[in-house]
Amino acid sequence: NGMGWWEQAGVPAGEGAPSLIVFTGEFDGYPQPGVFNISLFNAPYAHVMARGTRMYSGPEISGVKMRATDQGESAGVVISNASLFMENVDIDVGGPNAMIMTGYGDENRGFMRVDQSAFRRGGGLVIEMTDGVMGNISLSSLSFYDTSHGIRALGAQDGSGELVGVFSDELYMMNVGIPFLVSNDYCPKSHKGCTKPSKGVQVTMLSFDRISGTQTSGNAGTFNCIDSKPCQISLSNVDIRPTGPNVENSFHCKNAVGWTDETVSPASCLKKPGYAEFSAQL
């Protein structure tokens, strides 16, 4: 928790130190760090932070419990410019339960996997993309309890990267504010105002399959993308219900195209992709 450690990790001064910082290797083939079977409590910023110099290496996190009894904005796992394998993790915090970030020219054509884990009370799982390429992310057998969001896939509106291939399967959400949020019309706090909203990260091949649970906001999911780069999404076997009879239940779409069928409830708002949408993605 020394000041020098979290300054190296890029945390702004005054926000507090992470419990554990992992610096990953620069080259393929190096042994990767692991965090196994430990409990972490009340870190003021992040319980586990991993930063890499390239996107081909990253930590394995398994059997870890994280708690922030004071909640606040404490995050669970923050992965920056590194790949990730995480399973059997239980995270109860006030900020994002898990956050995967990349940008600034980095490229990840490797594989990220998060499965058999539970997220409680915080902000759910966030994937934030600025520049470069990130893809091949597998999310399976995850449970969300009383979180503000379930899955958030966010591309910076002034970015120029590509987020391609997020595969979500067998997710359970109980009393979640907004189960899905996909947007490339997003301005990260660190950008302090975005100036090129027509630029945008390209978001393609996002798949949500076998998703069930309840939402509290009236919003089963939001897919909000810019005109020049519509998002490409598929939904199947989705059953999201309101928490009570007076809570609305619908999807909200803007410039979002994709595939869906009668197994989706409430009814999807995705447009069937046409030539114009595919041309914009080439």
Side-chain angles (χ1 to χ4, degrees), residues 229-240:
K229 292 184 178 179
C231 298
Q232 185 189 97
I233 300 162
S234 69
L235 297 173
S236 60
N237 299 299
V238 175
D239 184 11
I240 300 295

Side-chain angles (χ1 to χ4, degrees), residues 2-268:
M3 182 74 71
W5 281 99
W6 61 264
E7 284 184 340
Q8 290 182 57
V11 181
E15 292 194 10
S19 289
L20 177 63
I21 298 175
V22 178
F23 291 92
T24 65
E26 182 174 359
F27 302 105
D28 296 337
Y30 275 57
Q32 300 309 309
V35 182
F36 304 108
N37 303 319
I38 62 174
S39 297
L40 299 168
F41 300 94
N42 293 330
Y45 176 69
H47 288 74
V48 175
M49 172 180 282
R51 284 180 62 86
T53 51
R54 292 177 64 186
M55 292 297 297
Y56 302 104
S57 59
E60 179 178 351
I61 302 173
S62 178
V64 176
K65 293 183 178 180
M66 305 179 193
R67 295 288 183 271
T69 55
D70 59 351
Q71 296 299 293
E73 291 299 319
S74 178
V77 176
V78 178
I79 305 295
S80 177
N81 296 339
S83 61
L84 170 68
F85 173 67
M86 183 165 70
E87 66 175 359
N88 297 320
V89 170
D90 193 311
I91 304 176
D92 184 347
V93 295
N97 297 89
M99 191 164 190
I100 302 169
M101 300 182 293
T102 189
Y104 315 109
D106 293 286
E107 178 172 342
N108 174 25
R109 290 290 187 178
F111 189 73
M112 289 192 178
R113 178 178 170 187
V114 181
D115 64 13
Q116 299 181 19
S117 296
F119 303 132
R120 308 176 193 274
R121 293 196 290 177
L125 192 152
V126 182
I127 301 167
E128 184 179 295
M129 179 72 193
T130 303
D131 297 302
V133 179
M134 179 163 63
N136 298 324
I137 300 174
S138 173
L139 311 173
S140 64
S141 300
L142 305 181
S143 298
F144 299 80
Y145 302 98
D146 302 302
T147 55
S148 65
H149 296 78
I151 303 295
R152 283 185 279 177
L154 306 174
Q157 62 179 220
D158 61 347
S160 60
E162 182 180 5
L163 175 60
V164 52
V166 179
F167 307 100
S168 303
D169 178 67
E170 200 173 340
L171 308 185
Y172 176 69
M173 306 190 184
M174 176 177 283
N175 298 330
V176 170
I178 302 176
F180 313 104
L181 175 58
V182 177
S183 178
N184 60 5
D185 193 14
Y186 165 72
C187 186
K189 292 181 180 179
S190 59
H191 289 205
K192 298 180 181 179
C194 298
T195 58
K196 297 179 180 179
S198 62
K199 196 177 180 184
V201 169
Q202 182 67 68
V203 178
T204 59
M205 294 179 61
L206 269 63
S207 171
F208 299 98
D209 185 27
R210 294 195 293 172
I211 318 293
S212 64
T214 57
Q215 54 83 11
T216 63
S217 66
N219 186 342
T222 292
F223 309 119
N224 177 39
C225 302
I226 60 177
D227 294 342
S228 60
K229 292 184 178 179
C231 298
Q232 185 189 97
I233 300 162
S234 69
L235 297 173
S236 60
N237 299 299
V238 175
D239 184 11
I240 300 295
R241 304 184 182 188
T243 51
N246 297 321
V247 179
E248 294 184 6
N249 194 37
S250 60
F251 284 103
H252 302 267
C253 292
K254 178 183 177 184
N255 299 315
V257 301
W259 295 267
T260 186
D261 56 29
E262 65 278 0
T263 65
V264 175
S265 177
S268 167

